[in-house]
Amino acid sequence: MKSVKPGRGPSFMGGIASLFAAVFGVFWIFMTMRMGAPVIFPVFGVFFIVMGLVQAAYNFANASSKNRFSEFDIVDSKEEPDPMDIASSAGRSEAEDGSFRFCPYCGRPLDSTFAFCPECGKKLG
């Protein structure tokens, strides 16, 4: 089955941009407190920091890990499984007898007697 994964370069650049967002959050908190703004305004800075760090962790994990999370580039699951997809990471696209329960190309449910997928027409097995 095909999945859509981000490239390593865009993920790394997204991680750097997320770190800049976290630094902006620190700057935001400092400036709003210095100006004497109401308490609600520094909370936005905390939000920037938390979201920046979470996105940075996600993007740097995608840029450096062996199996990236699905999002952009089309990659076959046999080339690189999706860590969030339990079925593909466990290798359960085939039944115990070797017949497919679902088409590995389009995901349509199949009968064990099918030699070709009736949805996409690709040969099974």
Side-chain angles (χ1 to χ4, degrees):
M1 173 144 337
K2 297 283 187 181
S3 64
V4 183
K5 297 177 182 271
R8 296 189 191 282
S11 290
F12 186 76
M13 292 304 292
I16 290 174
S18 299
L19 290 178
F20 278 114
V23 170
F24 174 76
V26 172
F27 177 75
W28 179 274
I29 291 172
F30 176 73
M31 293 305 292
T32 55
M33 292 183 83
R34 187 167 182 211
M35 287 190 252
V39 176
I40 190 71
F41 289 103
V43 172
F44 288 118
V46 173
F47 176 74
F48 283 126
I49 293 169
V50 170
M51 289 305 297
L53 293 177
V54 167
Q55 287 182 350
Y58 168 79
N59 284 314
F60 285 133
N62 261 351
S64 61
S65 66
K66 180 180 177 185
N67 297 326
R68 297 169 289 160
F69 297 101
S70 294
E71 206 173 322
F72 295 119
D73 297 336
I74 296 176
V75 179
D76 193 2
S77 62
K78 293 175 184 166
E79 297 169 17
E80 182 178 323
D82 186 1
M84 297 299 284
D85 184 13
I86 297 168
S88 74
S89 62
R92 296 201 176 131
S93 63
E94 292 188 50
E96 306 304 325
D97 61 353
S99 63
F100 288 94
R101 293 184 196 148
F102 297 94
C103 175
Y105 303 102
C106 69
R108 184 185 190 280
L110 300 172
D111 187 44
S112 61
T113 61
F114 290 153
F116 292 89
C117 175
E119 183 72 27
C120 67
K122 294 193 178 181
K123 184 173 177 156
L124 304 171

